[in-house]
PDB file of all heavy atoms in Angstrom:
ATOM      1  N   MET A   1       0.869  -1.153  -0.001  1.00  0.00           N
ATOM      2  CA  MET A   1      -0.027  -0.007  -0.020  1.00  0.00           C
ATOM      3  C   MET A   1       0.843   1.268   0.020  1.00  0.00           C
ATOM      4  O   MET A   1       1.701   1.467   0.895  1.00  0.00           O
ATOM      5  CB  MET A   1      -0.933   0.005   1.238  1.00  0.00           C
ATOM      6  CG  MET A   1      -1.773   1.219   1.318  1.00  0.00           C
ATOM      7  SD  MET A   1      -2.819   1.286   2.863  1.00  0.00           S
ATOM      8  CE  MET A   1      -3.852  -0.167   2.685  1.00  0.00           C
ATOM      9  N   ASN A   2       0.690   2.079  -0.976  1.00  0.00           N
ATOM     10  CA  ASN A   2       1.507   3.324  -1.135  1.00  0.00           C
ATOM     11  C   ASN A   2       0.678   4.597  -0.919  1.00  0.00           C
ATOM     12  O   ASN A   2       1.268   5.709  -0.773  1.00  0.00           O
ATOM     13  CB  ASN A   2       2.158   3.400  -2.455  1.00  0.00           C
ATOM     14  CG  ASN A   2       3.239   2.295  -2.627  1.00  0.00           C
ATOM     15  OD1 ASN A   2       4.018   2.061  -1.676  1.00  0.00           O
ATOM     16  ND2 ASN A   2       3.324   1.696  -3.744  1.00  0.00           N
ATOM     17  N   ILE A   3      -0.598   4.494  -0.969  1.00  0.00           N
ATOM     18  CA  ILE A   3      -1.511   5.671  -0.859  1.00  0.00           C
ATOM     19  C   ILE A   3      -2.628   5.361   0.215  1.00  0.00           C
ATOM     20  O   ILE A   3      -2.945   4.152   0.406  1.00  0.00           O
ATOM     21  CB  ILE A   3      -2.097   6.165  -2.122  1.00  0.00           C
ATOM     22  CG1 ILE A   3      -2.981   5.041  -2.735  1.00  0.00           C
ATOM     23  CG2 ILE A   3      -1.026   6.644  -3.065  1.00  0.00           C
ATOM     24  CD1 ILE A   3      -3.773   5.575  -3.968  1.00  0.00           C
ATOM     25  N   LEU A   4      -3.104   6.350   0.845  1.00  0.00           N
ATOM     26  CA  LEU A   4      -4.085   6.163   1.842  1.00  0.00           C
ATOM     27  C   LEU A   4      -4.954   7.432   1.979  1.00  0.00           C
ATOM     28  O   LEU A   4      -4.396   8.544   1.911  1.00  0.00           O
ATOM     29  CB  LEU A   4      -3.490   5.841   3.241  1.00  0.00           C
ATOM     30  CG  LEU A   4      -4.457   5.517   4.382  1.00  0.00           C
ATOM     31  CD1 LEU A   4      -5.108   4.209   4.167  1.00  0.00           C
ATOM     32  CD2 LEU A   4      -3.628   5.520   5.688  1.00  0.00           C
ATOM     33  N   HIS A   5      -6.264   7.306   2.099  1.00  0.00           N
ATOM     34  CA  HIS A   5      -7.131   8.381   2.453  1.00  0.00           C
ATOM     35  C   HIS A   5      -7.746   8.247   3.792  1.00  0.00           C
ATOM     36  O   HIS A   5      -8.057   7.142   4.252  1.00  0.00           O
ATOM     37  CB  HIS A   5      -8.341   8.396   1.440  1.00  0.00           C
ATOM     38  CG  HIS A   5      -9.315   9.455   1.712  1.00  0.00           C
ATOM     39  ND1 HIS A   5      -9.154  10.822   1.411  1.00  0.00           N
ATOM     40  CD2 HIS A   5     -10.548   9.438   2.372  1.00  0.00           C
ATOM     41  CE1 HIS A   5     -10.157  11.528   1.721  1.00  0.00           C
ATOM     42  NE2 HIS A   5     -11.023  10.701   2.399  1.00  0.00           N
ATOM     43  N   SER A   6      -7.795   9.427   4.440  1.00  0.00           N
ATOM     44  CA  SER A   6      -8.263   9.412   5.872  1.00  0.00           C
ATOM     45  C   SER A   6      -9.193  10.594   6.130  1.00  0.00           C
ATOM     46  O   SER A   6      -9.060  11.592   5.409  1.00  0.00           O
ATOM     47  CB  SER A   6      -7.071   9.488   6.799  1.00  0.00           C
ATOM     48  OG  SER A   6      -7.466   9.463   8.131  1.00  0.00           O
ATOM     49  N   LYS A   7     -10.056  10.411   7.135  1.00  0.00           N
ATOM     50  CA  LYS A   7     -10.935  11.467   7.602  1.00  0.00           C
ATOM     51  C   LYS A   7     -10.546  11.830   9.021  1.00  0.00           C
ATOM     52  O   LYS A   7     -10.389  10.938   9.846  1.00  0.00           O
ATOM     53  CB  LYS A   7     -12.445  11.120   7.580  1.00  0.00           C
ATOM     54  CG  LYS A   7     -12.956  10.815   6.124  1.00  0.00           C
ATOM     55  CD  LYS A   7     -14.449  10.498   6.227  1.00  0.00           C
ATOM     56  CE  LYS A   7     -15.018  10.232   4.839  1.00  0.00           C
ATOM     57  NZ  LYS A   7     -16.380   9.773   4.807  1.00  0.00           N
ATOM     58  N   ALA A   8     -10.332  13.081   9.282  1.00  0.00           N
ATOM     59  CA  ALA A   8      -9.908  13.518  10.583  1.00  0.00           C
ATOM     60  C   ALA A   8     -11.109  14.334  11.171  1.00  0.00           C
ATOM     61  O   ALA A   8     -11.435  15.478  10.611  1.00  0.00           O
ATOM     62  CB  ALA A   8      -8.742  14.424  10.504  1.00  0.00           C
ATOM     63  N   TYR A   9     -11.746  13.809  12.202  1.00  0.00           N
ATOM     64  CA  TYR A   9     -12.957  14.290  12.714  1.00  0.00           C
ATOM     65  C   TYR A   9     -12.820  15.430  13.779  1.00  0.00           C
ATOM     66  O   TYR A   9     -11.861  15.327  14.591  1.00  0.00           O
ATOM     67  CB  TYR A   9     -13.864  13.199  13.290  1.00  0.00           C
ATOM     68  CG  TYR A   9     -14.420  12.263  12.273  1.00  0.00           C
ATOM     69  CD1 TYR A   9     -13.726  11.122  11.816  1.00  0.00           C
ATOM     70  CD2 TYR A   9     -15.653  12.554  11.596  1.00  0.00           C
ATOM     71  CE1 TYR A   9     -14.224  10.328  10.868  1.00  0.00           C
ATOM     72  CE2 TYR A   9     -16.131  11.672  10.595  1.00  0.00           C
ATOM     73  CZ  TYR A   9     -15.422  10.577  10.208  1.00  0.00           C
ATOM     74  OH  TYR A   9     -15.968   9.753   9.290  1.00  0.00           O
ATOM     75  N   ALA A  10     -13.736  16.315  13.805  1.00  0.00           N
ATOM     76  CA  ALA A  10     -13.788  17.361  14.868  1.00  0.00           C
ATOM     77  C   ALA A  10     -14.310  16.795  16.174  1.00  0.00           C
ATOM     78  O   ALA A  10     -14.926  15.730  16.174  1.00  0.00           O
ATOM     79  CB  ALA A  10     -14.603  18.473  14.389  1.00  0.00           C
ATOM     80  N   LYS A  11     -14.037  17.494  17.260  1.00  0.00           N
ATOM     81  CA  LYS A  11     -14.616  17.225  18.534  1.00  0.00           C
ATOM     82  C   LYS A  11     -15.333  18.396  19.241  1.00  0.00           C
ATOM     83  O   LYS A  11     -15.004  19.564  18.821  1.00  0.00           O
ATOM     84  CB  LYS A  11     -13.542  16.683  19.470  1.00  0.00           C
ATOM     85  CG  LYS A  11     -12.412  17.639  19.921  1.00  0.00           C
ATOM     86  CD  LYS A  11     -12.795  18.559  21.065  1.00  0.00           C
ATOM     87  CE  LYS A  11     -11.816  19.679  21.293  1.00  0.00           C
ATOM     88  NZ  LYS A  11     -12.231  20.718  22.226  1.00  0.00           N
ATOM     89  N   ILE A  12     -16.196  18.099  20.083  1.00  0.00           N
ATOM     90  CA  ILE A  12     -16.741  19.129  20.967  1.00  0.00           C
ATOM     91  C   ILE A  12     -16.549  18.731  22.454  1.00  0.00           C
ATOM     92  O   ILE A  12     -16.289  17.552  22.731  1.00  0.00           O
ATOM     93  CB  ILE A  12     -18.248  19.412  20.744  1.00  0.00           C
ATOM     94  CG1 ILE A  12     -19.041  18.141  20.838  1.00  0.00           C
ATOM     95  CG2 ILE A  12     -18.436  20.118  19.390  1.00  0.00           C
ATOM     96  CD1 ILE A  12     -20.512  18.323  20.762  1.00  0.00           C
ATOM     97  N   ASN A  13     -16.632  19.676  23.368  1.00  0.00           N
ATOM     98  CA  ASN A  13     -16.578  19.356  24.782  1.00  0.00           C
ATOM     99  C   ASN A  13     -18.037  19.500  25.367  1.00  0.00           C
ATOM    100  O   ASN A  13     -18.589  20.599  25.480  1.00  0.00           O
ATOM    101  CB  ASN A  13     -15.661  20.310  25.523  1.00  0.00           C
ATOM    102  CG  ASN A  13     -14.228  20.352  24.936  1.00  0.00           C
ATOM    103  OD1 ASN A  13     -13.975  21.134  24.055  1.00  0.00           O
ATOM    104  ND2 ASN A  13     -13.426  19.464  25.482  1.00  0.00           N
ATOM    105  N   LEU A  14     -18.649  18.397  25.679  1.00  0.00           N
ATOM    106  CA  LEU A  14     -19.973  18.434  26.326  1.00  0.00           C
ATOM    107  C   LEU A  14     -19.826  19.032  27.744  1.00  0.00           C
ATOM    108  O   LEU A  14     -20.809  19.626  28.254  1.00  0.00           O
ATOM    109  CB  LEU A  14     -20.560  16.997  26.403  1.00  0.00           C
ATOM    110  CG  LEU A  14     -20.821  16.443  25.006  1.00  0.00           C
ATOM    111  CD1 LEU A  14     -21.271  14.948  25.204  1.00  0.00           C
ATOM    112  CD2 LEU A  14     -21.967  17.179  24.308  1.00  0.00           C
ATOM    113  N   GLY A  15     -18.762  18.844  28.387  1.00  0.00           N
ATOM    114  CA  GLY A  15     -18.426  19.413  29.577  1.00  0.00           C
ATOM    115  C   GLY A  15     -16.924  19.718  29.754  1.00  0.00           C
ATOM    116  O   GLY A  15     -16.137  18.894  29.284  1.00  0.00           O
ATOM    117  N   LEU A  16     -16.587  20.887  30.213  1.00  0.00           N
ATOM    118  CA  LEU A  16     -15.160  21.200  30.405  1.00  0.00           C
ATOM    119  C   LEU A  16     -14.910  21.911  31.713  1.00  0.00           C
ATOM    120  O   LEU A  16     -15.428  22.958  31.975  1.00  0.00           O
ATOM    121  CB  LEU A  16     -14.658  22.109  29.196  1.00  0.00           C
ATOM    122  CG  LEU A  16     -13.191  22.328  29.040  1.00  0.00           C
ATOM    123  CD1 LEU A  16     -12.874  22.822  27.663  1.00  0.00           C
ATOM    124  CD2 LEU A  16     -12.570  23.201  30.066  1.00  0.00           C
ATOM    125  N   ASP A  17     -14.140  21.247  32.588  1.00  0.00           N
ATOM    126  CA  ASP A  17     -13.796  21.898  33.810  1.00  0.00           C
ATOM    127  C   ASP A  17     -12.300  21.923  34.032  1.00  0.00           C
ATOM    128  O   ASP A  17     -11.633  21.021  33.478  1.00  0.00           O
ATOM    129  CB  ASP A  17     -14.455  21.077  35.029  1.00  0.00           C
ATOM    130  CG  ASP A  17     -14.328  21.768  36.405  1.00  0.00           C
ATOM    131  OD1 ASP A  17     -14.178  23.067  36.299  1.00  0.00           O
ATOM    132  OD2 ASP A  17     -14.575  21.167  37.415  1.00  0.00           O
ATOM    133  N   VAL A  18     -11.824  23.046  34.682  1.00  0.00           N
ATOM    134  CA  VAL A  18     -10.378  23.114  34.979  1.00  0.00           C
ATOM    135  C   VAL A  18     -10.301  22.960  36.502  1.00  0.00           C
ATOM    136  O   VAL A  18     -10.966  23.736  37.262  1.00  0.00           O
ATOM    137  CB  VAL A  18      -9.794  24.449  34.508  1.00  0.00           C
ATOM    138  CG1 VAL A  18      -8.326  24.501  34.830  1.00  0.00           C
ATOM    139  CG2 VAL A  18      -9.991  24.520  32.987  1.00  0.00           C
ATOM    140  N   THR A  19      -9.497  22.001  36.900  1.00  0.00           N
ATOM    141  CA  THR A  19      -9.389  21.709  38.364  1.00  0.00           C
ATOM    142  C   THR A  19      -8.157  22.162  39.040  1.00  0.00           C
ATOM    143  O   THR A  19      -8.036  22.113  40.312  1.00  0.00           O
ATOM    144  CB  THR A  19      -9.547  20.188  38.573  1.00  0.00           C
ATOM    145  OG1 THR A  19      -8.516  19.539  37.853  1.00  0.00           O
ATOM    146  CG2 THR A  19     -10.936  19.736  38.065  1.00  0.00           C
ATOM    147  N   GLY A  20      -7.070  22.622  38.310  1.00  0.00           N
ATOM    148  CA  GLY A  20      -5.914  23.094  38.887  1.00  0.00           C
ATOM    149  C   GLY A  20      -4.841  23.406  37.831  1.00  0.00           C
ATOM    150  O   GLY A  20      -5.098  23.266  36.657  1.00  0.00           O
ATOM    151  N   VAL A  21      -3.703  23.859  38.302  1.00  0.00           N
ATOM    152  CA  VAL A  21      -2.653  24.267  37.487  1.00  0.00           C
ATOM    153  C   VAL A  21      -1.355  23.643  37.936  1.00  0.00           C
ATOM    154  O   VAL A  21      -1.011  23.576  39.107  1.00  0.00           O
ATOM    155  CB  VAL A  21      -2.397  25.800  37.461  1.00  0.00           C
ATOM    156  CG1 VAL A  21      -1.346  26.151  36.452  1.00  0.00           C
ATOM    157  CG2 VAL A  21      -3.747  26.535  37.133  1.00  0.00           C
ATOM    158  N   LEU A  22      -0.587  22.922  36.990  1.00  0.00           N
ATOM    159  CA  LEU A  22       0.632  22.316  37.295  1.00  0.00           C
ATOM    160  C   LEU A  22       1.781  23.375  37.278  1.00  0.00           C
ATOM    161  O   LEU A  22       1.625  24.519  36.729  1.00  0.00           O
ATOM    162  CB  LEU A  22       0.985  21.223  36.330  1.00  0.00           C
ATOM    163  CG  LEU A  22      -0.051  20.079  36.283  1.00  0.00           C
ATOM    164  CD1 LEU A  22       0.274  19.075  35.184  1.00  0.00           C
ATOM    165  CD2 LEU A  22      -0.101  19.321  37.667  1.00  0.00           C
ATOM    166  N   ASP A  23       2.886  23.060  37.861  1.00  0.00           N
ATOM    167  CA  ASP A  23       4.024  23.938  37.933  1.00  0.00           C
ATOM    168  C   ASP A  23       4.508  24.455  36.563  1.00  0.00           C
ATOM    169  O   ASP A  23       4.968  25.564  36.388  1.00  0.00           O
ATOM    170  CB  ASP A  23       5.242  23.216  38.705  1.00  0.00           C
ATOM    171  CG  ASP A  23       4.985  22.991  40.086  1.00  0.00           C
ATOM    172  OD1 ASP A  23       4.133  23.697  40.670  1.00  0.00           O
ATOM    173  OD2 ASP A  23       5.623  22.162  40.715  1.00  0.00           O
ATOM    174  N   LYS A  24       4.428  23.512  35.599  1.00  0.00           N
ATOM    175  CA  LYS A  24       4.873  23.948  34.182  1.00  0.00           C
ATOM    176  C   LYS A  24       3.901  24.716  33.456  1.00  0.00           C
ATOM    177  O   LYS A  24       4.143  25.134  32.237  1.00  0.00           O
ATOM    178  CB  LYS A  24       5.228  22.649  33.455  1.00  0.00           C
ATOM    179  CG  LYS A  24       6.440  21.836  34.017  1.00  0.00           C
ATOM    180  CD  LYS A  24       6.712  20.645  33.135  1.00  0.00           C
ATOM    181  CE  LYS A  24       7.825  19.767  33.662  1.00  0.00           C
ATOM    182  NZ  LYS A  24       8.056  18.581  32.807  1.00  0.00           N
ATOM    183  N   GLY A  25       2.771  25.109  34.059  1.00  0.00           N
ATOM    184  CA  GLY A  25       1.817  25.934  33.397  1.00  0.00           C
ATOM    185  C   GLY A  25       0.626  25.163  32.776  1.00  0.00           C
ATOM    186  O   GLY A  25      -0.268  25.774  32.350  1.00  0.00           O
ATOM    187  N   TYR A  26       0.760  23.828  32.711  1.00  0.00           N
ATOM    188  CA  TYR A  26      -0.284  23.006  32.250  1.00  0.00           C
ATOM    189  C   TYR A  26      -1.456  23.149  33.183  1.00  0.00           C
ATOM    190  O   TYR A  26      -1.303  23.162  34.360  1.00  0.00           O
ATOM    191  CB  TYR A  26       0.141  21.614  32.000  1.00  0.00           C
ATOM    192  CG  TYR A  26       1.044  21.373  30.858  1.00  0.00           C
ATOM    193  CD1 TYR A  26       2.394  21.154  31.050  1.00  0.00           C
ATOM    194  CD2 TYR A  26       0.533  21.344  29.508  1.00  0.00           C
ATOM    195  CE1 TYR A  26       3.244  20.928  29.894  1.00  0.00           C
ATOM    196  CE2 TYR A  26       1.379  21.053  28.451  1.00  0.00           C
ATOM    197  CZ  TYR A  26       2.694  20.883  28.653  1.00  0.00           C
ATOM    198  OH  TYR A  26       3.514  20.638  27.565  1.00  0.00           O
ATOM    199  N   HIS A  27      -2.671  23.023  32.603  1.00  0.00           N
ATOM    200  CA  HIS A  27      -3.864  23.060  33.386  1.00  0.00           C
ATOM    201  C   HIS A  27      -4.407  21.600  33.512  1.00  0.00           C
ATOM    202  O   HIS A  27      -4.440  20.919  32.627  1.00  0.00           O
ATOM    203  CB  HIS A  27      -4.926  23.972  32.824  1.00  0.00           C
ATOM    204  CG  HIS A  27      -4.617  25.396  33.027  1.00  0.00           C
ATOM    205  ND1 HIS A  27      -3.617  26.068  32.318  1.00  0.00           N
ATOM    206  CD2 HIS A  27      -5.134  26.357  33.901  1.00  0.00           C
ATOM    207  CE1 HIS A  27      -3.583  27.318  32.688  1.00  0.00           C
ATOM    208  NE2 HIS A  27      -4.465  27.514  33.654  1.00  0.00           N
ATOM    209  N   LEU A  28      -4.843  21.261  34.748  1.00  0.00           N
ATOM    210  CA  LEU A  28      -5.502  20.046  34.943  1.00  0.00           C
ATOM    211  C   LEU A  28      -6.994  20.155  34.553  1.00  0.00           C
ATOM    212  O   LEU A  28      -7.627  21.134  34.979  1.00  0.00           O
ATOM    213  CB  LEU A  28      -5.388  19.572  36.409  1.00  0.00           C
ATOM    214  CG  LEU A  28      -3.911  19.238  36.867  1.00  0.00           C
ATOM    215  CD1 LEU A  28      -3.926  19.026  38.397  1.00  0.00           C
ATOM    216  CD2 LEU A  28      -3.468  17.975  36.162  1.00  0.00           C
ATOM    217  N   VAL A  29      -7.458  19.232  33.776  1.00  0.00           N
ATOM    218  CA  VAL A  29      -8.862  19.351  33.252  1.00  0.00           C
ATOM    219  C   VAL A  29      -9.655  18.065  33.601  1.00  0.00           C
ATOM    220  O   VAL A  29      -9.074  17.015  33.877  1.00  0.00           O
ATOM    221  CB  VAL A  29      -8.865  19.647  31.736  1.00  0.00           C
ATOM    222  CG1 VAL A  29      -8.172  20.915  31.387  1.00  0.00           C
ATOM    223  CG2 VAL A  29      -8.185  18.485  30.960  1.00  0.00           C
ATOM    224  N   LYS A  30     -10.918  18.185  33.486  1.00  0.00           N
ATOM    225  CA  LYS A  30     -11.899  17.131  33.572  1.00  0.00           C
ATOM    226  C   LYS A  30     -12.991  17.446  32.532  1.00  0.00           C
ATOM    227  O   LYS A  30     -13.725  18.412  32.679  1.00  0.00           O
ATOM    228  CB  LYS A  30     -12.471  16.995  34.999  1.00  0.00           C
ATOM    229  CG  LYS A  30     -13.208  15.650  35.194  1.00  0.00           C
ATOM    230  CD  LYS A  30     -13.570  15.456  36.643  1.00  0.00           C
ATOM    231  CE  LYS A  30     -14.228  14.138  36.910  1.00  0.00           C
ATOM    232  NZ  LYS A  30     -14.577  13.977  38.286  1.00  0.00           N
ATOM    233  N   MET A  31     -13.006  16.635  31.465  1.00  0.00           N
ATOM    234  CA  MET A  31     -13.883  16.956  30.331  1.00  0.00           C
ATOM    235  C   MET A  31     -14.571  15.733  29.807  1.00  0.00           C
ATOM    236  O   MET A  31     -14.144  14.625  29.952  1.00  0.00           O
ATOM    237  CB  MET A  31     -12.991  17.483  29.164  1.00  0.00           C
ATOM    238  CG  MET A  31     -11.996  18.694  29.527  1.00  0.00           C
ATOM    239  SD  MET A  31     -11.105  19.296  28.111  1.00  0.00           S
ATOM    240  CE  MET A  31     -10.037  17.874  27.824  1.00  0.00           C
ATOM    241  N   ILE A  32     -15.792  16.034  29.179  1.00  0.00           N
ATOM    242  CA  ILE A  32     -16.384  14.987  28.397  1.00  0.00           C
ATOM    243  C   ILE A  32     -16.237  15.387  26.966  1.00  0.00           C
ATOM    244  O   ILE A  32     -16.661  16.424  26.508  1.00  0.00           O
ATOM    245  CB  ILE A  32     -17.962  14.830  28.790  1.00  0.00           C
ATOM    246  CG1 ILE A  32     -18.141  14.596  30.186  1.00  0.00           C
ATOM    247  CG2 ILE A  32     -18.552  13.797  27.861  1.00  0.00           C
ATOM    248  CD1 ILE A  32     -17.701  13.122  30.725  1.00  0.00           C
TER     249      ILE A  32
END
């Protein structure tokens, strides 16, 4: 196989909460 077609799907967040921040600046999340 030398060629391939793909579909890259979008997402939504049915729920998005931020629960904290890490030292490196990343945020802790809890999401659906």
Side-chain angles (χ1 to χ4, degrees):
M1 181 185 292
N2 291 320
I3 61 172
L4 182 70
H5 175 78
S6 181
K7 293 179 179 179
Y9 289 92
K11 65 82 187 170
I12 57 173
N13 303 91
L14 296 172
L16 193 163
D17 194 14
V18 177
T19 59
V21 184
L22 298 175
D23 292 339
K24 295 182 179 180
Y26 286 104
H27 287 73
L28 294 171
V29 296
K30 191 171 184 180
M31 309 182 290
I32 303 291

